[in-house]
Amino acid sequence: ARPQSLVLKVDAANTACEDVLAIAKVAVMEFLEDSNATARHINEVEMMEKEKCYLYVDHSNIASSGLHIRAEEVHELVLGPREARDRHLVGSYAGSGQNEDTWVAWRDLGYQVHVCQRPEGVGEQFVDDALIAQMLGALSRHIGQDNSDKTLILLSGDGNDNAGRSSFASVIQSAIFDYKWNVEVWCWKHSCAALYHHLQEIAPDQMSVRYLDVLRD
């Protein structure tokens, strides 16, 4: 709660008048700084609560660090107090390596989970295109609207060109410059494509790169 009053206790009998005034001045300045910081924090939280988020998880990318991470921890870190309007996770597994508990955990958080099996020794297929389709669908549903309260959140540091098809990078650029959305890319620091940092530099009010590495602590 925001402080309403300032109580200053000074031993007047043993403190010179000018010293009392100096102490009071410092105390008042600190009080005002604390009050302003509290007001700013309340305003930031209120703005975040009005924000509408659309989350898209490239599970294979965020799980590739070798670190076991819990779906709940990732979701809470990324979303915070904001409202989730759309939640999709796409992943794949080789052979009989499916971990059903992983998909259940994400489904329990309200995500639509799309999973496919791939042959042993074959790299990712389907994942990028499936997520891209979901992201483009969300953007297209809000054409012509004021999208300043909408944030597209991609959990992946992958910046490849997707063999010349629509890619994460091209969708993000379109979201920022064509549809006027805000965009967040969450990923591991070591696996973040340089392009995302570049977009953050040229559109800092709309684009931000954030790291999952805090979950290692």
Side-chain angles (χ1 to χ4, degrees):
R2 184 172 180 171
Q4 298 297 318
S5 61
L6 171 65
V7 177
L8 180 64
K9 296 182 178 180
V10 178
D11 184 357
N14 298 310
T15 307
C17 181
E18 58 270 20
D19 293 335
V20 171
L21 291 175
I23 293 170
K25 182 178 180 180
V26 170
V28 168
M29 293 298 295
E30 292 178 347
F31 172 76
L32 292 175
E33 288 177 2
D34 289 344
S35 298
N36 290 336
T38 300
R40 286 194 300 270
H41 176 70
I42 292 173
N43 185 55
E44 289 171 358
V45 171
E46 289 176 346
M47 290 181 64
M48 289 181 70
E49 289 175 343
K50 295 177 182 177
E51 195 174 339
K52 302 174 181 65
C53 296
Y54 297 72
L55 297 95
Y56 305 95
V57 181
D58 176 354
H59 183 265
S60 300
N61 187 272
I62 65 169
S64 64
S65 67
L67 178 71
H68 177 70
I69 54 174
R70 297 174 60 247
E72 294 86 351
E73 292 177 334
V74 176
H75 178 74
E76 290 175 5
L77 171 67
V78 171
L79 185 63
R82 300 177 292 182
E83 177 186 356
R85 286 293 184 91
D86 203 17
R87 314 179 200 193
H88 290 271
L89 176 143
V90 180
S92 67
Y93 63 94
S96 59
Q98 178 173 202
N99 185 351
E100 185 62 29
D101 290 344
T102 297
W103 315 132
V104 169
W106 286 97
R107 288 191 184 101
D108 288 346
L109 291 167
Y111 285 79
Q112 296 185 47
V113 176
H114 318 273
V115 184
C116 71
Q117 184 178 11
R118 67 179 188 273
E120 291 281 3
V122 176
E124 284 287 349
Q125 298 175 331
F126 162 76
V127 171
D128 288 12
D129 290 329
L131 275 179
I132 288 163
Q134 297 299 332
M135 290 191 288
L136 289 174
L139 294 174
S140 67
R141 290 194 297 273
H142 299 92
I143 293 175
Q145 299 181 18
D146 177 6
N147 294 317
S148 59
D149 62 344
K150 298 180 183 67
T151 300
L152 185 154
I153 301 177
L154 173 65
L155 277 74
S156 177
D158 188 352
N160 74 74
D161 66 359
N162 201 27
R165 302 186 298 276
S166 292
S167 64
F168 292 155
S170 67
V171 172
I172 286 173
Q173 291 178 77
S174 184
I176 294 171
F177 301 114
D178 299 331
Y179 295 92
K180 310 304 180 185
W181 284 48
N182 301 304
V183 174
E184 293 175 11
V185 170
W186 286 81
C187 59
W188 301 105
K189 189 172 184 178
H190 74 275
S191 64
C192 185
L195 174 63
Y196 297 139
H197 291 293
H198 177 65
L199 288 172
Q200 182 175 239
E201 290 174 1
I202 62 178
D205 293 334
Q206 290 175 265
M207 171 72 180
S208 62
V209 176
R210 304 185 181 185
Y211 298 124
L212 298 169
D213 295 69
V214 293
L215 296 176
R216 296 179 184 273
D217 299 334

